[in-house]
Amino acid sequence: MDSRKLEVIFEFLIFGIVIGIAEDLIAIKVTTGEPITLRIVGIIVLIAIPFAIIGELIADNIDFVKIYRKIFNRKK
């Protein structure tokens, strides 16, 4: 794996973690009305990191265009 591809993977991973944390904070505040504490942020970070990693692995290794073409471009 070249360094540019690795750099892009880490950029998307960091972006996924940041967006995941922000999204979860907003969801908790809107749905529960609880004050955001350091403990809540810690729990959200622990939850967001694995989902960002899984999302990055899936997004990087699956060619959705290829799958789409296989499904919808079948000759009858």
Side-chain angles (χ1 to χ4, degrees):
M1 184 179 297
D2 66 8
S3 64
R4 178 66 185 143
K5 183 169 177 139
L6 195 57
E7 181 181 336
V8 170
I9 289 171
F10 281 119
E11 285 175 4
F12 278 111
L13 180 62
I14 298 300
F15 182 74
I17 291 170
V18 170
I19 294 299
I21 291 169
E23 170 184 62
D24 292 344
L25 285 170
I26 292 168
I28 287 173
K29 187 64 178 174
V30 169
T31 59
T32 67
E34 286 291 317
I36 303 300
T37 64
L38 192 56
R39 183 172 185 222
I40 290 175
V41 172
I43 292 169
I44 290 172
V45 169
L46 290 175
I47 292 170
I49 290 173
F51 280 99
I53 291 170
I54 291 168
E56 182 61 32
L57 292 174
I58 289 172
D60 241 17
N61 293 320
I62 296 177
D63 187 359
F64 291 105
V65 173
K66 188 176 180 181
I67 293 170
Y68 177 83
R69 285 183 181 153
K70 279 185 179 180
I71 292 171
F72 292 107
N73 288 338
R74 292 183 183 165
K75 294 189 178 187
K76 296 180 182 182

